Amino acid sequence: MCDTHSRTAWIQGWDGIDEPVWHQLRMPYRFVLLGAPGVGKGTQARLLGEALGSCHLSTGDVFRAASEHIAATPAVKLAKAAMKRGDLVPDDLVISTVYERSQCLQCPAGFLLDGFPRTLQQAQWLDERLGQLGVMLDAVVHYELPTEQIVERLCGRRTCEDCHTVYHEMTRPPARADICDDCGGRLVLRADDQPVVVRVRMDAYLKTTEPLKEFYGDQGLLIPVRATGTPEEVLERTLQALGISTSPDDGRMLASSR
Ligand code: AMP
């Protein structure tokens, strides 16, 4: 299973950290999670990661960590400014960031790509890179939700400053107000979840990310999943759509039963 060390390799990059300890799984799953901002990709990536053992790889997490912790290089400043506006970070910067973390794409535990790719150029690059690494995608899950529900979700969303776990005022409140259940960190409204920025992010999604549905549909990889209901209901629907049985007796196994 993917351990926290492997996630550190993704977030911080590979320089200066020891080789992560990989735990070979019998059946690694490799998925891309697509969907508008606020549709619940991050939450599903976390739940799917727990269920399947695959590593949650979010480019948004990498850029947030870089802008919080790394000395502001020109590239980090550029990414930070784009995020603040709700715009996409330029393709060349996103691609070089993922390229530096290519080893995570070869993780024997598999991966759940959350927030990458977001443009056609990124998707084409990913195809080429996975080909070079000899790795195949199993599926691309597209989460679907009406716009009103997306806005509702984003406005109530609170994120842990430290470990980035996502809560929601109505649907997933923390045990203690404004405190993360997992690490005790402070819960905040992400700067890019402010209503005016959400509008820019939605526009960017419709213009540049939605065309990926066709790109992956043409490859026969696209699996649409309705994202209404609780996170657990969406997880159940996702596993069903992917043909992954939740029964421990089944041949295709969940991480918890491996
Ligand atoms: P997320 O947490 O996935 O919603 O990402 C937060 C922000 O990071 C986005 O609004 C973008 O500004 C930036 N970002 C993350 N991933 C990408 C990507 N693949 N391409 C361009 N910008 C990205």
Side-chain angles (χ1 to χ4, degrees):
M1 186 184 307
C2 184
D3 58 18
T4 48
H5 196 166
S6 319
R7 214 173 125 65
T8 308
W10 172 257
I11 301 282
Q12 294 182 3
W14 288 76
D15 285 352
I17 74 158
D18 299 335
E19 184 78 5
V21 181
W22 304 115
H23 304 280
Q24 179 70 53
L25 291 183
R26 273 212 281 145
M27 182 180 276
Y29 293 96
R30 301 186 178 100
F31 301 131
V32 165
L33 307 186
L34 275 186
V39 84
K41 296 185 300 296
T43 302
Q44 289 308 310
R46 183 178 57 79
L47 295 175
L48 282 166
E50 284 165 16
L52 306 176
S54 307
C55 204
H56 174 191
L57 307 180
S58 149
T59 38
D61 282 351
V62 174
F63 293 130
R64 272 185 290 279
S67 57
E68 280 161 22
H69 299 300
I70 298 176
T73 61
V76 169
K77 276 189 194 157
L78 198 71
K80 200 172 172 178
M83 288 172 80
K84 202 168 163 197
R85 290 191 306 270
D87 283 336
L88 294 183
V89 173
D91 276 341
D92 53 351
L93 179 49
V94 177
I95 287 171
S96 59
T97 301
V98 178
Y99 178 81
E100 285 170 359
R101 292 162 174 77
S102 290
Q103 275 160 288
C104 292
L105 300 174
Q106 292 177 291
C107 177
F111 57 75
L112 299 153
L113 276 173
D114 159 22
F116 179 85
R118 258 178 158 105
T119 68
L120 207 51
Q121 196 190 337
Q122 292 176 18
Q124 285 162 343
W125 177 84
L126 179 65
D127 265 11
E128 201 181 309
R129 187 71 188 128
L130 291 179
Q132 289 163 355
L133 298 171
V135 169
M136 300 251 300
L137 278 182
D138 292 307
V140 175
V141 180
H142 180 247
Y143 288 108
E144 298 175 339
L145 195 68
T147 309
E148 329 69 88
Q149 287 189 39
I150 290 178
V151 173
E152 205 173 278
R153 280 193 186 180
L154 287 175
C155 292
R157 186 156 88 165
R158 296 292 179 273
T159 307
C160 174
E161 279 188 319
D162 296 333
C163 71
H164 306 296
T165 299
V166 178
Y167 295 82
H168 193 279
E169 282 181 335
M170 307 298 290
T171 55
R172 191 181 178 230
R176 283 179 298 158
D178 302 327
I179 306 286
C180 177
D181 293 345
D182 289 350
C183 76
R186 200 163 62 101
L187 303 185
V188 294
L189 179 69
R190 260 169 47 176
D192 58 354
D193 283 346
Q194 308 284 350
V196 60
V197 181
V198 165
R199 217 159 298 133
V200 180
R201 290 169 70 200
M202 284 298 291
D203 287 349
Y205 172 77
L206 291 173
K207 210 168 92 203
T208 51
T209 311
E210 249 205 355
L212 297 191
K213 277 163 62 181
E214 195 181 332
F215 179 79
Y216 286 120
D218 289 347
Q219 296 186 33
L221 286 171
L222 197 73
I223 310 262
V225 173
R226 191 164 46 85
T228 51
T230 65
E232 289 70 26
E233 285 165 350
V234 180
L235 172 69
E236 188 63 36
R237 220 175 279 139
T238 306
L239 292 171
Q240 263 177 22
L242 291 168
I244 300 173
S245 169
T246 49
S247 159
D249 306 328
D250 198 286
R252 297 203 74 181
M253 294 203 295
L254 297 176
S256 50
S257 59
R258 280 186 246 222

